[in-house]
Amino acid sequence: MNVPAEALPLAIGTALAIGALSVVLAPLLSDKASVDDKPTTPKAKKTNAEGTAVAALREIEFDKATGKLSDKDYDALRAMYTRAALAELRAADNLATVAAHAGGPVTDDMVEAAIRRAKNARHDCTVCGPRPEPDAVFCSSCGRYLAGNCASCGTPVELVGARFCVGCGEGLAAA
């Protein structure tokens, strides 16, 4: 059988097109779902050990980055969810610490005592709100000195937004 020379490239091209088409359509025609078929939207529910407030913080960060949230709404939601997330994370951390030290079952009184200790150790910035670092001296967002004592002389600093110690004059705000 003689095949004309002009028909050979056409036959090869047709075979390649059919092969490519089968590769492209195979996932669409198969009944089995792919292993990496995961929801990619930020609204997907978190089923891991993270709290819901932490997931909400991530979602509003995404919404702000994509322009779905105004600055005013973002600031209000961020303050609300930050407080809730800190409470969730501290409660979980304190519960684990109490359970480890107690060596026995954790009671409601132990949990309440741990939450009180966490609330007493918390530092709040007058501009940014609660800080996630329990031993923070400066706000990690704006650099303001958090109420407490001067690191140089130990004088109590109670003036909101103070930048210098009234006892020794040492600078309190981060540069």
Side-chain angles (χ1 to χ4, degrees), residues 1-15:
M1 174 178 210
N2 269 339
V3 178
E6 299 87 28
L8 186 61
L10 182 63
I12 293 174
T14 303

Side-chain angles (χ1 to χ4, degrees), residues 7-130:
L8 186 61
L10 182 63
I12 293 174
T14 303
L16 288 175
I18 291 173
L21 189 61
S22 66
V23 169
V24 170
L25 292 178
L28 297 174
L29 299 176
S30 72
D31 292 336
K32 190 170 67 169
S34 176
V35 175
D36 46 297
D37 283 349
K38 296 178 188 169
T40 57
T41 63
K43 306 228 183 262
K45 288 250 183 195
K46 305 289 185 198
T47 57
N48 56 9
E50 279 186 353
T52 55
V54 176
L57 275 172
R58 286 196 179 118
E59 186 171 331
I60 66 167
E61 288 289 334
F62 177 80
D63 288 346
K64 170 97 167 79
T66 57
K68 294 180 182 178
L69 232 98
S70 69
D71 290 339
K72 182 180 176 184
D73 291 338
Y74 169 75
D75 292 337
L77 289 171
R78 180 175 172 245
M80 179 181 69
Y81 286 132
T82 299
R83 282 190 283 278
L86 286 173
E88 286 176 2
L89 294 173
R90 285 189 178 130
D93 187 44
N94 287 334
L95 184 61
T97 303
V98 167
H101 290 298
V106 178
T107 65
D108 288 341
D109 292 336
M110 297 167 92
V111 172
E112 289 176 14
I115 291 172
R116 273 194 302 278
R117 282 194 305 276
K119 284 182 179 178
N120 291 338
R122 184 181 76 189
H123 288 38
D124 291 340
C125 175
T126 57
V127 175
C128 305

